Amino acid sequence: RGGGEWPAYPRRMATRAPGAPPSAPRRTVHVGDGLAWLESQAPHLGERACVVTSAPDISELAEAFGGRAPSPRQYTAWLRRAAALVVSRLAPGTCAIFYQTDCRVDDGHGGWEYIDKSFACSLGAVEDAGGATLWHKVALRAPPDKATMGVNPGYTHVLCFGAPGGTRCPSTARAKEELGCAPVPDVLTRGEVQWARGTGVVVAERAARWCRDALGARHVVDPFCGTGATLAAANMAGLEATGVELSRKRARMAQRLQARPGPRGGAELVPPVLPPEAVANIEARKRAAREREE
């Protein structure tokens, strides 16, 4: 995932989330490198397939750069190339939505260097791949007027890019009146996350619903699916979902994670349904612990 060629990816790991009803939209999770998988998808992902994803952070790419985290310039170049590849695989009329949180890294001189991920994604998607920016929103990770002291700011970019072959983005008025499509707010709440670097499920559900209603999408692809919040949100919206994840452990979680309507609208995550063998193993451990106590 660093320089050079993308490594080959293993084949499909599983389909349809365990515990989902038979009528639920299909979910497919591949274990392997997301960019290698995208390379294999020429000429495009499908006529009604949109991408909703969050590309890996700089802290997740050490293995690809010889065991050390890439420099800010190396990472920016990697993210730009990744965004270009994603958008190059879009069929006309579809889109790619990126959920990216900027980061600050130590500059080696007692200060910070800031990585603007929206800039890198825009360069790759528009300048390199020939796509177009359809909209740019912000999801809050912290309350307004609060300064954050860590490596990430209190907001996340949510960027939508149209396909190189053209994507007509309906106006807000037309989307609402003619298509019955709820517009994506300019400033969103993130919603629940499954892990620290995961996509907020409220954002994922809104993005999937917008792809469905505004562009007629029937399939959501996440080449960096992590623990599967985007896949769960897409299934909740009635869309087929395909994810790719390098970690086999997170891929197993992505197969099972479910989402449901939240109490105040939007979406919330549902704890995964454990397979029978896992439940039996847990019960056996509990019995063994009780026996030792006795």
Side-chain angles (χ1 to χ4, degrees):
R1 296 167 79 175
E5 297 299 320
W6 309 117
Y9 70 95
R11 291 293 178 181
R12 185 174 62 202
M13 183 177 180
T15 61
R16 202 182 300 279
S23 60
R26 293 181 64 84
R27 183 186 309 182
T28 303
V29 179
H30 299 275
V31 180
D33 186 279
L35 295 177
W37 183 84
L38 283 168
E39 289 276 18
S40 73
Q41 299 303 300
H44 55 66
L45 295 168
E47 297 294 339
R48 292 194 175 187
C50 289
V51 175
V52 179
T53 194
S54 179
D57 184 64
I58 187 172
S59 61
E60 300 175 82
L61 294 181
E63 183 178 346
F65 285 84
R68 298 182 62 182
S71 69
R73 285 169 180 77
Q74 287 175 320
Y75 176 74
T76 298
W78 180 91
L79 182 56
R80 177 175 179 171
R81 185 182 175 192
L85 178 58
V86 168
V87 172
S88 73
R89 290 297 184 262
L90 296 176
T94 63
C95 75
I97 297 176
F98 288 83
Y99 176 95
Q100 303 294 154
T101 305
D102 296 339
C103 62
R104 296 181 280 257
V105 297
D106 189 343
D107 66 0
H109 303 285
W112 292 103
E113 185 169 349
Y114 194 89
I115 298 177
D116 184 349
K117 296 183 184 180
S118 68
F119 177 64
C121 286
S122 295
L123 287 176
V126 179
E127 298 297 326
D128 300 339
T133 303
L134 302 184
W135 44 259
H136 185 172
K137 313 291 186 178
V138 172
L140 296 181
R141 304 175 65 249
D145 301 319
K146 179 181 179 180
T148 55
M149 306 304 292
V151 298
N152 301 115
Y155 60 88
T156 296
H157 300 282
V158 187
L159 305 109
C160 180
F161 300 106
T167 298
R168 179 173 294 180
C169 180
S171 67
T172 300
R174 178 175 178 269
K176 186 175 181 180
E177 295 173 7
E178 298 181 23
L179 303 177
C181 173
V184 178
D186 294 331
V187 180
L188 306 102
T189 55
R190 179 178 62 164
E192 184 181 4
V193 295
Q194 180 73 3
W195 68 309
R197 299 186 186 94
T199 301
V201 67
V202 170
V203 175
E205 190 271 337
R206 284 184 179 274
R209 190 151 39 93
W210 186 86
C211 293
R212 180 195 69 190
D213 297 342
L215 302 182
R218 294 294 177 266
H219 188 183
V220 164
V221 176
D222 185 352
F224 311 105
C225 71
T227 55
T230 295
L231 308 183
N235 285 164
M236 175 184 159
L239 303 177
E240 306 286 317
T242 297
V244 186
E245 172 51 43
L246 196 59
S247 164
R248 186 171 293 274
K249 178 180 178 180
R250 286 197 290 268
R252 286 195 295 266
M253 297 173 69
Q255 295 170 38
R256 297 184 173 91
L257 189 64
Q258 298 291 316
R260 63 190 176 198
R264 297 185 180 88
E268 64 180 12
L269 296 175
V270 181
V273 177
L274 295 175
E277 59 271 19
V279 174
N281 187 34
I282 292 172
E283 292 300 323
R285 290 183 180 182
K286 288 181 179 178
R287 286 195 300 271
R290 286 195 298 267
E291 290 171 359
R292 286 195 299 269
E293 291 175 358
E294 295 173 356

